[in-house]
Amino acid sequence: MMAVFSPDYVRPAARRLLCAIAAAIACCGLLLGASEATAASPPDFSGYWRALGSNALLKTREAQAPPLRPQSLETYRRNIAARAKGDLGFDSLYRCQPPGVPRALTLSPFRILQTGEQLMYLFDWNQVKRRVAVNGSHSTADDPTFMGEAIGTWNEGVLVVSSTHFNDRTLLDDALPHSESLEIVERIRLVQPDVLEDVITITDPETFDSPWTLVLRFGRLPATAPWVEDVCTDRITTLLTVDAK
Amino acid sequence: MRVEGVLRASRANLLGLLLLPWLGFADVSQAQAPPAAGPPEADPAPEPTLKMLLAYWPDLDWSKPAPPGARAPSKDPRDLSGIWRQAKAHLYLQPDEGAAPNGWAPYTPEAKGVFMHRLRMNFEGTPVAEALVYCRPIGVVRGLTFPIPFEIIQQPGQIWQLFGEGGTRVIYMDQQHPKELKPSYMGHSVGRWEGGTLVVDSAGFNDKTWLDMAGSPHGEKLHVVERYAKSSDGSYIDVEIIIEDPDFYTRPFTIKTKNIWHPELEIPNYHCEDNPRAVVVKGVTTYR
């Protein structure tokens, strides 16, 4: 924001005046939200967060069903029916495989460890990690993964995250399928000091008729909450006995 | 992180499976199978010697520094953030006290029996199933001595350490161990600064992890003290690891590691639960 007011050719005295005006405007909150910061110092999302509300079956921002193509709709309905019967074989989560995005954001609380170069998400669920590299670029390798590849860019106080390189073995929620064409763009900002908003646009032409957008909100948990080691295989496994000695 | 390595190795299957995702970080040749220790003799098998053990689980040289032009490290001794990798992978934890290593870890007789069983099973090609290959967290001692990078992220009051093979720990800088600790794979760690040295005290471990690849055992009384001292140019961290467990070791012993700054690496999305299985083609173990 300051850059707008202080190009190099403006004389120092004028720059100071313009900066003062900009600061006054910012303080009054006329143009800048209280939680937004200048481009020079992005806001700090570090903390311990938990998704608000119920997100087991995602809806669009307009509270509509996601625009599934006919074949995907069939899969979606089949998944819901199977889950109702307690048959979870369709869900790789129950084989301890990583939840993917955005499901990981809704499944368990998570921490964000933010530095200048990255935001490291540490999910409580099975200690899954997601690294958002700041100002990087997507790789050209054809190397799909559960959690995808996330590149973030600061735009004023908003972190815009582009995620690609997903495999097709996760679900977007408890039932929503997707393909390897999945691309996710998130616009993340602090709407209150203790509320993080994530506006998520999902594009996957193999699965959906059109891109669609949902909104997740996260409430802040105490940063001092102890780290509890969650080990998925210990939770679900009674078949394998590990020789501890 | 796609790996295109080929392992010549029936004997190194276990090591190979664990290391394969990491070979992108080092010369493949460094992680190839060590020379065969020879087929087991007829029963009863001879007691493995230290020489046999070290031929099977050698110290691997990973001392290659960061490439030219890589981002320079901070010289602040209290800034340990970034990616670090051991210069030497300790697959067997030989104590490092004094000028020369003195061979075997100071096992109690019972611990030596457990260890020798694990070693013999490896020599015979039927390794004991251990927690790590069943996707449990790696534990602190093995995480610090295993040939994979780790990442340190510093936050107010907390230092996070992320181990690439699996396992995350937080070092609390502003508290003591709670009186009641539920045993866990990574234990509970508290730290403090002594000048420019970070001193970490860890307890509350379960007894399921191994201290090294070779199979050195421990129990729930395991107590670990680490001392992190960064070099003056910031390019490496010396870590001294003092291991104490009166049920398994007759005295505390020390392992020393050197961890090199590697900003060009990152902790990738390695998911043990989806670990691609090795495929054996014409006697050669490959990676799909």
Side-chain angles (χ1 to χ4, degrees):
Chain A
M1 183 59 74
M2 285 304 171
V4 174
F5 292 99
S6 58
D8 290 334
Y9 56 82
V10 178
R11 284 178 303 169
R15 283 174 67 173
R16 278 199 295 277
L17 177 64
L18 289 169
C19 285
I21 293 170
I25 291 171
C27 287
C28 296
L30 293 176
L31 288 179
L32 299 175
S35 61
E36 290 187 352
T38 63
S41 79
D44 189 358
F45 295 168
S46 292
Y48 190 30
W49 302 96
R50 179 171 56 200
L52 304 173
S54 167
N55 304 290
L57 294 175
L58 297 172
K59 299 286 184 202
T60 70
R61 182 162 51 183
E62 298 77 21
Q64 301 297 308
L68 283 159
R69 294 170 66 98
Q71 199 173 339
S72 304
L73 182 60
E74 204 176 291
T75 306
Y76 181 65
R77 287 178 174 154
R78 197 169 56 235
N79 290 349
I80 288 177
R83 185 178 297 278
K85 286 189 294 187
D87 174 6
L88 299 170
F90 69 91
D91 190 346
S92 59
L93 203 66
Y94 292 88
R95 295 187 292 279
C96 294
Q97 294 184 333
V101 182
R103 198 178 186 194
L105 298 164
T106 66
L107 206 59
S108 72
F110 58 89
R111 291 167 207 259
I112 295 177
L113 311 181
Q114 180 177 334
T115 62
E117 304 139 20
Q118 66 179 24
L119 288 87
M120 183 66 80
Y121 285 63
L122 297 180
F123 300 96
D124 283 3
W125 193 91
N126 202 29
Q127 316 152 64
V128 166
K129 302 185 277 280
R130 178 195 189 204
R131 178 174 185 265
V132 178
V134 173
N135 295 332
S137 54
H138 279 298
S139 74
T140 53
D142 175 21
D143 198 2
T145 60
F146 288 91
M147 299 301 288
E149 180 188 86
I151 304 292
T153 311
W154 287 104
N155 183 0
E156 303 296 336
V158 181
L159 182 70
V160 181
V161 179
S162 159
S163 299
T164 58
H165 293 66
F166 290 103
N167 69 28
D168 60 1
R169 296 159 63 188
T170 65
L171 298 167
L172 300 178
D173 63 10
D174 274 4
L176 260 183
H178 68 86
S179 76
E180 289 193 358
S181 304
L182 175 66
E183 291 183 18
I184 297 177
V185 175
E186 297 168 80
R187 297 180 58 81
I188 309 170
R189 64 186 182 126
L190 282 166
V191 289
Q192 294 168 30
D194 293 334
V195 180
L196 199 59
E197 181 192 75
D198 192 350
V199 179
I200 302 172
T201 298
I202 290 174
T203 303
D204 180 357
E206 290 181 45
T207 308
F208 301 104
D209 283 327
S210 58
W212 59 285
T213 298
L214 71 138
V215 180
L216 295 178
R217 287 189 168 215
F218 310 100
R220 195 186 285 276
L221 298 169
T224 52
W227 168 253
V228 177
E229 184 177 86
D230 175 49
V231 180
C232 179
T233 41
D234 277 342
R235 261 193 279 118
I236 69 161
T237 287
T238 52
L239 299 174
L240 299 172
T241 303
V242 173
D243 172 21
K245 305 294 177 198
Chain B
M1 193 130 308
R2 186 61 52 93
V3 173
E4 290 166 0
V6 174
L7 275 197
R8 158 185 77 88
S10 53
R11 199 171 324 281
N13 270 350
L14 187 61
L15 176 63
L17 277 175
L18 289 166
L19 292 185
L20 268 165
W22 302 98
L23 295 184
F25 295 149
D27 295 339
V28 171
S29 59
Q30 291 179 341
Q32 282 187 347
E41 303 285 337
D43 280 341
E47 182 81 345
T49 63
L50 188 63
K51 194 176 169 189
M52 288 164 69
L53 164 62
L54 295 177
Y56 197 94
W57 295 117
D59 288 342
L60 302 175
D61 178 7
W62 289 61
S63 58
K64 199 157 69 176
R71 189 162 50 85
S74 150
K75 291 181 182 172
D76 179 354
R78 292 196 178 190
D79 181 1
L80 304 180
S81 58
I83 310 259
W84 307 88
R85 189 177 64 194
Q86 295 84 336
K88 188 178 85 168
H90 299 67
L91 302 182
Y92 175 65
L93 294 186
Q94 287 189 85
D96 272 329
E97 290 107 337
N102 62 358
W104 298 99
Y107 301 113
T108 62
E110 190 204 19
K112 181 110 183 205
V114 171
F115 176 74
M116 284 300 177
H117 168 69
R118 292 173 177 175
L119 197 58
R120 222 178 264 118
M121 294 293 272
N122 245 324
F123 285 175
E124 289 169 13
T126 53
V128 174
E130 54 146 333
L132 187 64
V133 298
Y134 284 113
C135 302
R136 270 55 170 198
I138 191 166
V140 164
V141 173
R142 197 158 168 198
L144 289 169
T145 54
F146 204 64
I148 53 169
F150 60 80
E151 177 164 7
I152 291 178
I153 303 175
Q154 289 176 239
Q155 296 270 297
Q158 300 173 342
I159 297 179
W160 290 81
Q161 197 168 22
L162 283 49
F163 296 97
E165 184 69 23
T168 295
R169 83 197 282 209
V170 54
I171 301 162
Y172 298 101
M173 298 299 290
D174 51 7
Q175 51 181 273
Q176 301 296 312
H177 295 302
K179 285 210 175 83
E180 298 292 325
L181 270 178
K182 187 178 169 222
S184 62
Y185 293 89
M186 302 302 288
H188 185 273
S189 299
V190 297
R192 65 179 190 277
W193 289 102
E194 286 181 2
T197 300
L198 172 67
V199 182
V200 183
D201 187 296
S202 302
F205 294 100
N206 68 26
D207 63 359
K208 294 180 182 175
T209 65
W210 291 7
L211 294 182
D212 55 25
M213 284 299 292
S216 294
H218 73 85
E220 293 189 356
K221 286 188 191 160
L222 176 65
H223 173 223
V224 180
V225 175
E226 298 143 68
R227 300 178 63 87
Y228 292 72
K230 198 171 171 183
S231 65
S232 56
D233 67 353
S235 66
Y236 63 92
I237 306 174
D238 280 322
V239 182
E240 193 176 284
I241 309 162
I242 303 161
I243 298 164
E244 186 181 13
D245 183 347
D247 287 345
F248 286 78
Y249 298 92
T250 56
R251 58 177 171 83
F253 64 106
T254 303
I255 305 295
K256 292 176 183 169
T257 66
K258 179 180 175 183
N259 302 272
I260 298 176
W261 165 255
H262 275 290
E264 80 284 10
L265 302 181
E266 64 178 77
I267 302 295
N269 272 321
Y270 173 61
H271 301 301
C272 173
E273 294 84 350
D274 191 48
N275 195 7
R277 298 294 180 246
V279 178
V280 179
V281 181
K282 293 180 182 172
V284 175
T285 306
T286 61
Y287 190 75
R288 77 169 164 85

